[in-house]
Amino acid sequence: MKTAAPLAGLPASVEIVEVGPRDGLQNEPGIVDLDTRLGLIERLLAAGLRRIEVGAFVSPKRVPQMAGSGELVKRLGRREGVRFSALVPNLRGLEAAIEAGVEEIAVFGAASETFSRRNINCSIGESLERFRPVVERARAHGLPVRGYVSCVAGCPYEGEVPVARVVEVGAALFEMGCSEVSLGDTIGTGTPRRIAELVRACSAGIPIDRLGLHLHDTYGQALANYLAGLLCGVRIFDASVAGLGGCPYAPGASGNLATEDLLYMLEGMGIATGVDLDALVAAGRFVTGALGRPPASRVATARGVTPD
Ligand code: HMG
Ligand code: MG
């Protein structure tokens, strides 16, 4: 299926950030045990993924699915050429992440006031003030920090979100020291036009090679939206194996685009990712087998994959 070279104007390679172990498993109704979380991450590593968001140092009362992230990170240890990252909402989370040995953290803000309050219990302005010392201290420890902006194409509570608000929050995160900013279409309502508009607007303040996309597939638009982002120059793409995921504070939102489906498109366009599709399908099969349902990946389904 691989073409010899990418189409004119497209890059030879892009970066995939696998968020399944965090975004995916945080939204499961049941709590997935640590051995299964580790088993999934090992399989993702075997598939060639080098940036994996493995957990979250958030309140276990709010998101019990992510409890044990410290132990998980410790058990994973360090791997050559691999960056394990985790969500960190505050200084307390940062201390725990550093103690566990996380190699990258992500702070997570939003472009919608109501979502910010529901998700992290503070306003957008307060969240930025809360993140500032977290970013400073993380950088002082040599940890790169990713900044998320949620609700970039719409909010589950407020509906429309102005592009200017996304630009403002993204720029604030970048200016405070985030090494990259990932734009989250939390509820998957965006279409290629909106994504292109966002990327163009945000890239005025954030270099395009530091801008990522984190697109949920609730409305079936994510693959088209990633293509729009790719054509606009984005080179960092978040995806979730087997299409796992959602956000506990975005009711009804489905998972990120399945990593398998993103990879299939990129490979078909001659764009390298360093990830092996068969091994990735096997990783998705492992986790969905443990969850007792088939993968949401179209590629995995087309290949006749069923849960173990
Ligand atoms: P708060 O209630 O404002 O803070 O929570 P608090 O300081 O008053 O603490 C409340 C409780 O949490 C206390 O415990 C603290 O000790 C504890 P209690 O006294 O009730 O027993 N606590 C913590 N425990 C462990 N680790 C910590 C920590 N901090 C406080 N770091 C907070 C603020 C942000 C902590 C809370 O609201 C929270 O944990 N929210 C969860 C947010 C979350 O994980 N959401 C899902 C991920 S975001 C997402 O999915 C979107 C994304 O994928 C992008 C996209 O799709 O758009 C990234
Ligand atoms: Mg998400």
Side-chain angles (χ1 to χ4, degrees), residues 1 16 18 20 40 44 47 49 223 226 238-244 256-268 273 275-288 294-303 305:
M1 234 310 282
I16 296 184
E18 170 60 49
L40 169 62
L44 295 169
L49 285 150
L223 190 62
Y226 276 121
D238 299 3
S240 174
V241 69
L244 301 173
N256 295 81
L257 181 68
T259 317
E260 298 92 316
D261 298 2
L262 175 64
L263 191 64
Y264 184 86
M265 179 182 82
L266 293 169
E267 273 192 1
T273 60
V275 183
D276 178 78
L277 185 54
D278 289 333
L280 185 60
V281 168
R285 179 181 189 170
F286 166 79
V287 69
T288 52
S297 158
R298 301 294 293 266
V299 169
T301 306
R303 291 187 168 200
V305 171

Side-chain angles (χ1 to χ4, degrees), residues 128-173:
L128 295 173
E129 285 322 302
R130 195 184 279 179
F131 296 151
R132 200 175 300 281
V134 174
V135 175
E136 266 169 30
R137 206 175 293 180
R139 282 169 53 112
H141 274 269
L143 298 180
V145 184
R146 150 176 269 226
Y148 279 107
V149 186
S150 282
C151 299
V152 301
C155 168
Y157 310 105
E158 292 180 13
E160 249 172 70
V161 171
V163 169
R165 198 76 177 118
V166 179
V167 172
E168 203 182 313
V169 177
L173 290 170

